[in-house]
């Protein structure tokens, strides 16, 4: 976790804009001994910016409330870390106390103006279209729970959670049949493939796969857009994912692929196990370890370490923005809320933002979080988001 991220969380706490997820993240960071020195520096900076009048105001009006917040919000720290336990605990208490001073002074002396939008847009939902081998299309969001179709000895059904499941019911030597599962903007879905592999499919994505892997040398699927994979182990049958400019080969592991055509690169992030990545343009390849991400852009293949929780936040129901540009953020938002984004000034696209919010909030709630940081202002017109500068 970068120092810039910690500073952002501190500011969000002070401004009263921190989400519940950010509050939990911040208190966890406070109790990590590796962050002790940086928190001490923040402590010095905060004290330097608090005047005697501020302290008098704090002590007179809000001290009991602040002290109660400290008791309620600080997470316990393991006492096995003998050398730094007391130091971190004290730093945590004092920094949170100072954060609270800033919060209450803002609340009582400079209350921010409430942000309103004339209309709103609901978040996306579970749904997809399944195209069978014979070309028949089935709207999964409209289909009732239970059996949907049968193809080449495979039963296709949807359970009560909306999950599409492929189950081999016959041993047939029929011709290989492929299905395609597609989500539009504002949809996401999940499917259990015939080998037991679980795939979460993000908005505006598709997965093409055989209805049965029996007898094949490899389990090959094709992805466009973004997908999260939990691959069932099979040493005799490697699992292959073909996507934009790359080929991913695994025996059984957990990973995420972002391969949208409108993104500047394709990114594969490993959570568990091991994967081999090949750039199909240059034939460069790399083997990833957990926590690493392969970035492919035309002839280049680069590997870096990332926060995997940020990468798969979409699958867990959150947007997580870690120093990302506004254009990248709103491109992701447009796919989930099915909106178009219009910039009054293209220079706005390169502004960066930290933050997190549930994907199941209305779009106004997400825009308010960004707007409170003075990165940009927004207007909702129909299914368009108008982005303006705060200058």
């Amino acid at each position: 976790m970068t120092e810039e991220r910690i500073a952002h969380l501190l500011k969000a706490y002070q401004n009263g804009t921190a989400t519940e997820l950010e509050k939990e993240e911040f208190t966890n960071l406070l109790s990590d001994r590796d962050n002790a020195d940086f928190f001490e520096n923040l402590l010095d900076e905060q004290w330097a910016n608090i005047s005697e009048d501020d302290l008098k105001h704090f002590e007179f009006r809000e001290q009991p409330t602040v002290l109660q917040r400290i008791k309620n919000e600080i997470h316990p720290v393991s006492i096995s870390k003998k050398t730094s336990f007391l130091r971190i605990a004290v730093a945590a208490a004092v920094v949170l106390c100072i954060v609270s001073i800033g919060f209450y002074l803002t609340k009582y002396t400079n209350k921010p103006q409430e942000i309103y939008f004339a209309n709103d847009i609901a978040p996306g939902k579970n749904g997809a279209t399944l195209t069978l081998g014979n070309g028949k299309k089935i709207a999964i969001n409209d289909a009732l729970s239970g059996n949907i179709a049968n193809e080449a000895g495979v039963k296709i059904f949807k359970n009560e959670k909306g999950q599409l499941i492929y189950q081999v019911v016959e041993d047939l030597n029929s011709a290989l049949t492929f299905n395609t599962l597609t989500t539009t903007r504002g949809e996401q879905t999940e499917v259990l493939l015939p080998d037991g592999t679980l795939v979460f499919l993000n908005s505006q994505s598709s997965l093409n796969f055989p209805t049965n892997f029996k007898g094949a040398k490899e389990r090959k699927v094709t992805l466009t857009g973004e997908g999260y994979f939990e691959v069932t182990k099979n040493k005799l049958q490697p699992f292959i994912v073909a996507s934009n400019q790359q080929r991913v080969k695994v025996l059984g592991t957990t990973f995420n692929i972002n391969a949208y055509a409108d993104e500047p690169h394709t990114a594969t992030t490993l959570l568990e196990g091991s994967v081999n990545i090949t750039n199909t343009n240059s034939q460069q390849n790399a083997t990833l370890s957990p926590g690493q991400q392969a970035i492919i852009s035309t002839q280049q293949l680069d590997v870096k370490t990332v926060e995997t929780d940020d990468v798969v936040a979409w699958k867990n129901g959150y947007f997580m923005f870690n120093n990302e540009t506004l254009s990248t953020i709103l491109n992701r938002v447009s796919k989930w809320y099915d909106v178009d984004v219009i910039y009054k000034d293209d220079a706005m696209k390169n502004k960066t933002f930290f933050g997190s919010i549930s994907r199941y909030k209305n779009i106004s709630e997400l825009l308010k979080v960004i707007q409170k940081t003075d990165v940009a202002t927004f207007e909702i017109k129909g299914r368009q988001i108008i982005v303006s500068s705060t200058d």
Side-chain angles (χ1 to χ4, degrees):
M1 184 63 62
T2 64
E3 293 180 353
E4 191 174 2
R5 176 64 175 168
I6 294 173
H8 158 75
L9 292 171
L10 175 60
K11 181 178 179 182
Y13 222 128
Q14 287 175 313
N15 292 337
T17 61
T19 64
E20 291 304 314
L21 193 65
E22 287 177 321
K23 290 177 183 178
E24 182 177 356
E25 180 185 358
F26 184 56
T27 50
N28 282 333
L29 288 169
L30 283 171
S31 59
D32 187 339
R33 63 179 177 180
D34 292 335
N35 299 322
D37 289 339
F38 184 64
F39 274 120
E40 284 187 355
N41 290 334
L42 283 179
L43 186 66
D44 291 338
E45 292 177 10
Q46 290 286 341
W47 275 118
N49 291 328
I50 296 176
S51 68
E52 290 186 10
D53 288 341
D54 290 338
L55 289 174
K56 289 177 181 178
H57 176 86
F58 161 67
E59 291 173 353
F60 176 75
R61 186 169 188 173
E62 299 299 335
Q63 188 174 23
T65 309
V66 171
L67 292 176
Q68 189 58 49
R69 287 186 72 205
I70 291 172
K71 292 177 183 178
N72 291 340
E73 296 189 30
I74 291 183
H75 290 188
V77 184
S78 173
I79 58 174
S80 63
K81 299 174 181 178
K82 296 179 181 178
T83 59
S84 59
F85 168 73
L86 183 59
R87 178 183 175 201
I88 296 170
V90 172
V94 181
V95 170
L96 265 185
C97 184
I98 293 168
V99 166
S100 300
I101 294 172
F103 172 78
Y104 284 109
L105 289 177
T106 299
K107 179 178 179 180
Y108 287 105
T109 64
N110 188 26
K111 187 175 181 179
Q113 185 177 0
E114 184 63 40
I115 300 170
Y116 295 100
F117 292 99
N119 62 300
D120 212 343
I121 296 172
K125 57 186 179 181
N126 290 329
T129 298
L130 176 65
T131 304
L132 302 178
N134 60 8
K136 180 181 178 180
K137 295 181 182 296
I138 301 173
I140 301 302
N141 51 313
D142 294 330
L144 297 175
S145 297
N147 190 57
I148 291 176
N150 293 282
E151 287 229 306
V154 176
K155 177 184 177 182
I156 308 169
F157 63 97
K158 191 182 81 168
N159 63 19
E160 63 280 359
K161 296 180 180 179
Q163 185 182 70
L164 195 63
I165 298 174
Y166 280 68
Q167 182 180 7
V168 178
V169 293
E170 296 179 46
D171 186 8
L172 299 178
N173 294 318
S174 56
L176 188 63
T177 302
F178 284 84
N179 285 182
T180 301
L181 189 61
T182 306
T183 58
T184 61
R185 296 204 304 180
E187 290 183 330
Q188 67 178 17
T189 193
E190 56 186 285
V191 57
L192 192 67
L193 298 179
D195 67 330
T197 292
L198 180 63
V199 183
F200 289 80
L201 206 58
N202 206 348
S203 302
Q204 207 169 346
S205 303
S206 70
L207 185 73
N208 179 263
F209 54 93
T211 57
N212 196 338
F213 294 112
K214 186 175 177 59
K217 293 182 179 180
E218 58 187 23
R219 298 169 287 167
K220 184 177 180 180
V221 303
T222 302
L223 171 75
T224 63
E226 186 168 22
Y228 170 90
F229 295 79
E230 294 180 0
V231 178
T232 299
K233 291 184 179 180
N234 186 338
K235 294 182 178 180
L236 301 178
Q237 243 184 345
F239 194 92
I240 308 294
V241 183
S243 58
N244 185 26
Q245 304 183 90
Q246 75 170 12
R247 183 176 185 267
V248 177
K249 179 180 179 181
V250 306
L251 298 179
T253 186
T254 302
F255 58 96
N256 190 89
I257 297 177
N258 185 320
Y260 285 110
D262 59 356
E263 295 286 349
H265 54 249
T266 296
T268 300
T269 308
L270 181 63
L271 283 78
E272 297 178 6
S274 176
V275 301
N276 182 265
I277 313 289
T278 300
N279 183 329
T280 54
N281 297 318
S282 65
Q283 298 307 309
Q284 289 177 293
N285 64 79
T287 299
L288 301 185
S289 298
Q292 289 186 323
Q293 181 181 82
I295 302 292
I296 290 182
S297 180
T298 314
Q299 300 296 317
Q300 193 67 32
L301 189 160
D302 297 306
V303 177
K304 65 178 183 178
T305 301
V306 296
E307 292 287 343
T308 57
D309 287 347
D310 292 355
V311 175
V312 300
W314 69 269
K315 192 268 296 185
N316 297 324
Y318 287 93
F319 285 108
M320 293 283 286
F321 310 125
N322 192 349
N323 198 30
E324 296 182 60
T325 64
L326 198 57
S327 63
T328 300
I329 292 169
L330 294 183
N331 188 33
R332 204 180 307 168
V333 168
S334 70
K335 290 179 173 66
W336 181 234
Y337 287 94
D338 187 17
V339 296
D340 295 318
V341 180
I342 298 174
Y343 296 87
K344 287 192 174 181
D345 181 358
D346 281 346
M348 296 292 301
K349 296 180 179 180
N350 296 321
K351 289 196 172 185
T352 57
F353 176 74
F354 282 103
S356 60
I357 190 171
S358 169
R359 277 164 58 97
Y360 297 104
K361 299 282 190 180
N362 282 355
I363 198 169
S364 64
E365 296 302 313
L366 184 148
L367 298 179
K368 286 177 183 179
V369 169
I370 301 177
Q371 189 161 319
K372 284 180 179 180
T373 66
D374 291 330
V375 170
T377 60
F378 304 96
E379 183 181 359
I380 304 172
K381 286 188 175 182
R383 301 204 75 86
Q384 290 184 336
I385 305 301
I386 314 299
V387 187
S388 301
S389 172
T390 56
D391 298 335

